[in-house]
Amino acid sequence: MDSHKLLGLRPAMGWNSWNTFTWDINEQLIRDVADRFVSEGYKDAGYEYIVIDDCWSLKERDSEGNLVHDPIKFPSGIRALADYIHEKGLKFGMYSCVGTHTCAGFPGSFEHEFQDAQLLAEWGVDYLKYDYCFKPRSMSGELLYKRMSLALKNCGRDILFSACNWGEDNVYQWIRESGAHMYRSTGDIQDNWDSIKSLTLSQLDKTCYTGSFCHNDMDMLVVGMYGGSNDGFIGSKIGGCSDNEYKTHFALWCMMGSPLMIGCDIRNANDVTKDILLNPELIKINQDVEGRGAYRIKPEPQWFHSDDVFMLVKVLTDGDLAIGFFNLSDTQREISLQFWDLGLPYASGFSLELYDCWEYKELGKFKERFAPTVPARDCLVVRAKLVK
Ligand code: GAL
């Protein structure tokens, strides 16, 4: 089969420099992350792309109109960094913007789309995150994403196109047709529970707009940051989540089919962070090849629960169901699943055999219903198999 066609088949997995490091990036950091991807098991778990976000270039293009990397941050040059990452069997991503400037004020790709795509290809770039700042008001964002998509698809290299317009301008209605492989559907995540919760709730009625070759990107993961960003907006020392909140965040992104782009400093990740990010059962659900969006079930009795208590169900390729019981509220809840809500009538004679994807253990066989008690800001994720 033509391998071009498979870019973006599954949600991208990788690491992005922005959440923790913002402007403070350099080639040694990126090399260290690549080393850790291999030595700490991220690569084996499926994480692949290492992406430099904003603030990598000089403030001006050169006399030929080319983007120029910052020689202090990247003294060996971008090509050498790409080679280093490729030698480890990983892929390399960079960042630009639809507008005249990036959000941090560096040159954007407006009216340089085809030239920049060419340069990225020459450098060995495999992924482009394409932001939405400084877009001339008279231009349609839709058209500008189509432009860069066309440029990338014809630059001579397979480059995954990651659109980042924060869910503006009804992006759901046109992004798949533009050629982008993933699209940001939300404003920037922050390293706190309120942000995770509000991004999630904003996407619950959009689950039909994700899927293979154009995934709904709910923004980078904040798992393991514990308030450790150098940027006040994303985290600073007042941010940070508890381990359960990070676990729930990861489960939501997995169940909802979001790309999994790590945003913490993996050089200092603790064991809990690694256990969350490397959970093979959750990753399998996220990467399921049919790439179906999850549907939501509101638990009974409905008068008892607010919108922040719900189940998500994802139909998997092999016939199993991934079921997440999410309690985003501040009190413990029993969340009751009636199997008829999954399309399974009692009269069928089938039961569900449930496997707990966090505890890695069988929970047993259930008929008609399953009603776990889920602590506040926590979740249970099971893989359900139909058995007689
Ligand atoms: C924002 C984007 C962030 C990050 C930042 C860089 O617009 O949503 O993820 O890329 O710009 O300036």
Side-chain angles (χ1 to χ4, degrees):
M1 197 188 291
D2 181 353
S3 70
H4 283 294
K5 302 288 180 313
L6 297 179
L7 262 192
L9 174 63
R10 297 181 166 88
M13 292 176 66
W15 178 90
N16 176 300
S17 59
W18 184 254
N19 282 4
T20 298
F21 298 97
T22 61
W23 50 270
D24 191 14
I25 47 176
N26 61 68
E27 68 181 37
Q28 194 52 49
L29 166 69
I30 306 299
R31 283 171 191 243
D32 287 350
V33 169
D35 294 349
R36 295 301 171 111
F37 258 41
V38 176
S39 64
E40 309 267 324
Y42 294 93
K43 180 183 173 199
D44 286 345
Y47 292 94
E48 187 178 22
Y49 291 98
I50 297 187
V51 181
I52 304 177
D53 208 281
D54 206 347
C55 308
W56 59 266
S57 76
L58 290 181
K59 290 263 167 153
E60 302 294 337
R61 290 173 178 267
D62 70 11
S63 55
E64 272 142 38
N66 282 316
L67 291 166
V68 186
H69 70 272
D70 181 328
I72 297 181
K73 293 174 177 170
F74 301 97
S76 315
I78 302 296
R79 178 79 232 189
L81 189 54
D83 289 346
Y84 186 87
I85 290 171
H86 290 149
E87 274 158 28
K88 306 216 162 249
L90 298 166
K91 292 187 173 157
F92 175 51
M94 291 190 79
Y95 164 99
S96 186
C97 188
V98 152
T100 56
H101 293 81
T102 72
C103 300
F106 294 87
S109 291
F110 180 63
E111 301 290 34
H112 289 273
E113 292 85 358
F114 288 80
Q115 179 177 14
D116 289 354
Q118 207 59 53
L119 185 65
L120 296 174
E122 282 161 26
W123 279 344
V125 171
D126 308 295
Y127 175 120
L128 177 67
K129 174 172 170 181
Y130 206 47
D131 217 334
Y132 211 50
C133 284
F134 296 103
K135 177 178 78 64
R137 291 215 176 93
S138 57
M139 297 294 299
S140 106
E142 178 178 351
L143 204 54
L144 293 177
Y145 280 103
K146 284 180 180 157
R147 260 199 210 182
M148 189 46 112
S149 169
L150 196 60
L152 290 175
K153 282 191 186 295
N154 293 283
C155 71
R157 189 175 172 87
D158 284 345
I159 299 184
L160 187 110
F161 188 27
S162 162
C164 177
N165 92 327
W166 322 305
E168 304 274 318
D169 301 331
N170 294 319
V171 67
Y172 311 94
Q173 291 172 8
W174 48 264
I175 195 67
R176 177 173 288 274
E177 292 80 47
S178 78
H181 298 102
M182 55 194 266
Y183 65 98
R184 271 277 297 283
S185 53
T186 63
D188 288 14
I189 196 166
Q190 297 167 52
D191 182 18
N192 60 59
W193 175 248
D194 286 349
S195 173
I196 291 167
K197 185 168 160 177
S198 76
L199 297 190
T200 300
L201 295 179
S202 77
Q203 295 309 301
L204 282 179
D205 62 353
K206 306 261 179 355
T207 53
C208 62
Y209 299 107
T210 195
S212 301
F213 305 111
C214 193
H215 304 275
N216 179 342
D217 174 8
M218 292 164 62
D219 205 357
M220 278 90 74
L221 298 164
V222 292
V223 177
M225 286 181 65
Y226 300 104
S229 173
N230 65 4
D231 180 273
F233 178 71
I234 299 168
S236 82
K237 301 299 170 201
I238 55 163
C241 298
S242 68
D243 290 337
N244 274 357
E245 291 167 352
Y246 283 140
K247 174 186 142 192
T248 304
H249 163 40
F250 188 71
L252 284 162
W253 265 232
C254 285
M255 286 294 303
M256 293 175 79
S258 178
L260 302 176
M261 301 300 290
I262 299 170
C264 71
D265 182 355
I266 61 164
R267 299 170 308 174
N268 305 315
N270 66 20
D271 287 346
V272 178
T273 299
K274 280 190 251 172
D275 286 347
I276 295 173
L277 293 173
L278 298 174
N279 180 315
E281 297 297 329
L282 268 296
I283 291 175
K284 230 190 287 169
I285 291 168
N286 177 263
Q287 296 285 297
D288 186 77
V289 71
E290 288 191 2
R292 297 188 186 279
Y295 61 89
R296 173 173 38 161
I297 298 177
K298 294 189 178 179
E300 300 283 349
Q302 296 213 10
W303 51 262
F304 180 69
H305 291 293
S306 55
D307 281 348
D308 43 20
V309 180
F310 54 86
M311 287 161 273
L312 288 175
V313 183
K314 182 167 156 117
V315 174
L316 303 175
T317 309
D318 67 358
D320 286 1
L321 299 172
I323 309 172
F325 298 80
F326 291 99
N327 178 6
L328 310 192
S329 82
D330 291 335
T331 39
Q332 174 173 297
R333 296 287 188 171
E334 182 182 286
I335 308 182
S336 169
L337 173 66
Q338 316 306 123
F339 293 175
W340 67 66
D341 281 333
L342 304 168
L344 185 61
Y346 187 77
S348 70
F350 281 99
S351 302
L352 289 181
E353 196 169 74
L354 303 182
Y355 180 81
D356 183 331
C357 296
W358 283 114
E359 298 298 325
Y360 304 111
K361 64 168 197 226
E362 299 290 348
L363 297 177
K365 254 167 100 169
F366 297 83
K367 240 185 158 38
E368 197 169 24
R369 79 193 286 263
F370 177 66
T373 296
V374 182
R377 303 182 174 194
D378 211 327
C379 67
L380 170 73
V381 179
V382 300
R383 193 168 175 118
K385 190 174 281 310
L386 244 71
V387 290
K388 270 286 179 193

